[in-house]
Amino acid sequence: MKKLFAFPLILFSSMGFCQYSISEIPEDGYLKDFDIAVDIIQKQHPNPYRFHSKETVAKKIDSLRHAIKKDPSYTSLLMYNPTRIIGDGHSAFSADSNYFEDILNSIHFFPLQTYVHNGQLYVNGANRHHIEAGSQILKVNDVSTSNLLNAVPKAADGNIKVEDVDMSFYIPFVLKNRPSDFTIQYKTLQGDEKTIKVNGIKYSRFYYESKHAVLPIDLISESYGIYGYQIDPETYYLSVKSFSYDESFFYERLKKYFQEIKDLKSKKLIIDIRNNSGGAISNVPLLYSFIAQDKNFNNEYKYGTQVVDINYTDYLVDPQTSRYYSDKDISDQNNFMRQRFDKAEKGDYYFGNSRLDNTYIKSYPRDGLFFDGKTILLTNNRTFSAATYFASLFKTEKRGEIVGKETGSCSNFTTAAWFLTYRLPNTKAVISIPRTEIFFNHNDKENVANCKGVIPDHTVDNTYFLRSLKEQKDPELEYSLTLFSK
């Protein structure tokens, strides 16, 4: 579902005080930084040609470079940056926070909150133009919504189809000439087609409007990260929006809720990992241990990479302090990886050895507070990285049915861990590159060419979705409750 409003990683890294102007960047600086980013990807990514051949990647890079050359601007660099074509949802490209204010002030944002479902774009909330929530937007400034959706940068592995994106935010970026007003063709819930011209809004108003969207319904779980409550006398809802927690803290939170589930004598459980962007992979089996059917379950993953050393050393920074790496920093990083990765007997891969993760437990024990009732898992395209591993484990163990959308990461592997961050010299834009791939449950580099996310057992159809939206209910959650009653 749509996140509680946050800037997409592809566009902005963080909010900051504007110390200098974008106008100071030389026109050729955008192409220079684009070329540096390409070089970084080619030399540092653990496998940049996992999904596309060198020839295909080269053609796509040429196309993106041409777009920036045609319109040398910060927004063009962000929209057409090279991370978007290698099929790695973890590689990210973001603006320097010092340019944050300049970028926002230059944009007129789309004045309606929207939601994409089954490839169609719907109005997602009340608005001053009196367009009913659930109305389908057909075109904006004479561009079809399907073309708009195709143009939006998406964070996903391989060729996974993604529709969980904030189209309202992206529309002014993908339309030509950065419009200040929008002509909207839409279809009402009664089937009538209408056209309206509306003025764009500035960011402060856009941020305000984003808080009044219908979906997502359960904003409190977005804020808490881990949150649970009883839905009805038999059913409990547990939302886990991240695995990026200290293991002891994560366990204490889970223990609290599963004790409550036991005290309430709940017979049915809905676990929601929509919008869960991942985190510590060791926390995945920890959560699953609370719903495991057997006393022990298989928890197996393996790290691999083609690039053990830091091959691109220029512009490397510590993301926490923004301090540039010294020669000693780089040497320490290289030593860390060399000690934990061994070259495979065949091929060009290095795989993690026993020193890599002392928390790794292959045969994982079930927790004493385990829940053995009926369980449904909710996923979407923003179920990512370690969260996808949880969904994969849930499906492999046949623990219950999955409702929602395909996960954004591959079901059998992903890229992650030990990210390298580079600050480009001309635009100060930041590119982040993961150092390894992670293969789940007996998968390795030989059999992950076909990347699919974890596919749900049930996807909510448009009729059910629109009825729920009109009633301001969570479509996937409501549908899950009907499955329990069958």
Side-chain angles (χ1 to χ4, degrees):
M1 310 205 84
K2 180 181 165 188
K3 283 186 177 180
L4 181 62
F5 188 81
F7 285 110
L9 287 178
I10 196 73
L11 285 175
F12 300 105
S13 56
S14 62
M15 187 180 296
F17 181 75
C18 186
Q19 295 177 352
Y20 44 87
S21 171
I22 289 176
S23 63
E24 298 172 0
I25 299 173
E27 189 171 291
D28 64 350
Y30 300 106
L31 280 179
K32 286 180 178 179
D33 279 4
F34 178 89
D35 292 339
I36 291 171
V38 170
D39 202 20
I40 289 170
I41 291 170
Q42 291 174 335
K43 292 179 178 177
Q44 200 59 66
H45 193 277
N47 193 349
Y49 308 111
R50 163 68 72 186
F51 301 109
H52 307 291
S53 67
K54 289 184 179 181
E55 294 75 19
T56 300
V57 170
K59 288 180 181 178
K60 290 186 176 185
I61 286 173
D62 285 344
S63 177
L64 295 176
R65 193 179 193 279
H66 177 74
I68 296 172
K69 187 176 182 179
K70 188 176 179 180
D71 177 22
S73 65
Y74 216 121
T75 51
S76 288
L77 177 64
L78 295 167
M79 290 296 292
Y80 304 119
N81 78 83
T83 63
R84 63 177 294 184
I85 51 89
I86 58 175
D88 170 22
H90 282 86
S91 293
F93 196 100
S94 53
D96 176 77
S97 58
N98 289 307
Y99 293 123
F100 184 89
E101 191 173 353
D102 265 13
I103 294 171
L104 290 185
N105 287 339
S106 69
I107 299 296
H108 286 85
F109 287 93
F110 193 67
L112 305 177
Q113 291 303 303
T114 58
Y115 189 86
V116 183
H117 187 73
N118 292 339
Q120 297 178 344
L121 186 64
Y122 296 98
V123 175
N124 182 27
N127 54 85
R128 55 182 173 175
H129 304 291
H130 307 294
I131 301 176
E132 188 178 4
S135 298
Q136 182 186 349
I137 298 175
L138 306 174
K139 291 183 178 181
V140 180
N141 289 11
D142 220 27
V143 179
S144 69
T145 52
S146 60
N147 286 340
L148 291 173
L149 183 60
N150 288 336
V152 170
K154 305 172 184 71
D157 288 344
N159 298 302
I160 292 173
K161 183 180 179 181
V162 172
E163 63 177 32
D164 282 319
V165 292
D166 191 347
M167 286 298 296
S168 297
F169 182 87
Y170 276 114
I171 283 174
F173 290 94
V174 299
L175 289 173
K176 294 180 179 179
N177 303 320
R178 308 288 185 261
S180 59
D181 50 47
F182 304 91
T183 300
I184 304 170
Q185 293 173 249
Y186 67 98
K187 183 166 63 176
T188 68
L189 273 70
Q190 292 73 38
D192 300 323
E193 292 194 11
K194 297 184 177 182
T195 301
I196 185 174
K197 187 173 182 179
V198 298
N199 294 325
I201 55 179
K202 301 306 288 185
Y203 173 68
S204 58
R205 181 71 190 185
F206 178 81
Y207 185 84
Y208 173 83
E209 296 291 348
S210 71
K211 300 294 187 182
H212 296 80
V214 174
L215 300 174
I217 296 293
D218 187 18
L219 296 183
I220 192 168
S221 68
E222 299 275 353
S223 299
Y224 275 74
I226 309 170
Y227 192 77
Y229 56 86
Q230 186 182 46
I231 294 178
D232 60 45
E234 290 194 335
T235 311
Y236 198 88
Y237 169 84
L238 178 65
S239 176
V240 181
K241 298 303 184 188
S242 176
F243 288 103
S244 295
Y245 297 105
D246 174 79
E247 188 172 317
S248 61
F249 170 82
F250 193 58
Y251 180 75
E252 287 300 322
R253 293 292 291 170
L254 293 176
K255 186 172 72 171
K256 171 187 182 295
Y257 290 117
F258 278 93
Q259 182 64 59
E260 189 171 289
I261 291 169
K262 184 176 182 179
D263 294 343
L264 290 169
K265 298 180 180 180
S266 299
K267 298 178 180 179
K268 305 166 187 176
L269 173 63
I270 296 173
I271 299 178
D272 185 356
I273 57 171
R274 292 171 297 180
N275 293 358
N276 186 320
S277 58
I281 197 168
S282 59
N283 280 332
V284 170
L286 178 57
L287 172 58
Y288 191 80
S289 71
F290 283 92
I291 61 169
Q293 292 178 308
D294 300 322
K295 289 184 178 180
N296 294 84
F297 59 93
N298 186 50
N299 165 53
E300 191 171 355
Y301 50 87
K302 180 167 55 177
Y303 290 85
T305 182
Q306 293 184 101
V307 186
V308 171
D309 290 336
I310 298 178
N311 292 336
Y312 200 102
T313 59
D314 293 341
Y315 318 121
L316 191 59
V317 297
D318 182 328
Q320 302 300 320
T321 65
S322 295
R323 178 182 62 83
Y324 283 95
Y325 273 27
S326 66
D327 290 342
K328 185 180 184 304
D329 293 328
I330 293 170
S331 177
D332 289 345
Q333 289 263 348
N334 286 341
N335 287 335
F336 175 89
M337 295 292 284
R338 288 170 189 163
Q339 292 172 40
R340 289 161 176 79
F341 283 82
D342 297 329
K343 186 78 180 293
E345 293 183 4
K346 297 181 180 180
D348 54 3
Y349 252 70
Y350 295 79
F351 289 103
N353 57 39
S354 58
R355 290 193 62 185
L356 183 61
D357 188 354
N358 58 14
T359 66
Y360 178 72
I361 302 172
K362 182 177 178 180
S363 180
Y364 207 98
R366 182 172 62 184
D367 192 85
L369 281 173
F370 72 93
F371 172 80
D372 62 355
K374 292 183 178 180
T375 307
I376 287 176
L377 183 67
L378 305 184
T379 65
N380 66 358
N381 304 147
R382 287 173 170 166
T383 301
F384 211 75
S385 193
T388 293
Y389 177 43
F390 181 84
S392 176
L393 188 61
F394 186 92
K395 192 158 194 171
T396 300
E397 294 288 321
K398 299 179 181 179
R399 187 57 185 88
E401 294 182 285
I402 301 177
V403 175
K405 299 175 182 177
E406 180 180 6
T407 62
S409 291
C410 303
S411 61
N412 49 0
F413 97 108
T414 191
T415 52
W418 305 293
F419 287 76
L420 293 176
T421 303
Y422 296 87
R423 186 175 298 280
L424 303 180
N426 297 286
T427 62
K428 309 302 179 186
V430 172
I431 179 171
S432 177
I433 301 291
R435 299 197 65 181
T436 68
E437 296 178 308
I438 307 175
F439 307 99
F440 305 147
N441 291 325
H442 303 295
N443 289 294
D444 58 30
K445 73 182 187 70
E446 301 301 329
N447 60 356
V448 296
N450 295 321
C451 167
K452 290 185 178 179
V454 176
I455 307 297
D457 300 296
H458 305 274
T459 300
V460 175
D461 64 31
N462 289 357
T463 300
Y464 195 98
F465 167 80
L466 285 173
R467 183 167 69 247
S468 298
L469 181 65
K470 189 173 181 179
E471 296 174 358
Q472 297 192 3
K473 294 180 179 180
D474 183 326
E476 283 86 9
L477 180 58
E478 293 298 312
Y479 187 80
S480 297
L481 293 172
T482 67
L483 290 177
F484 278 140
S485 63
K486 292 181 179 180

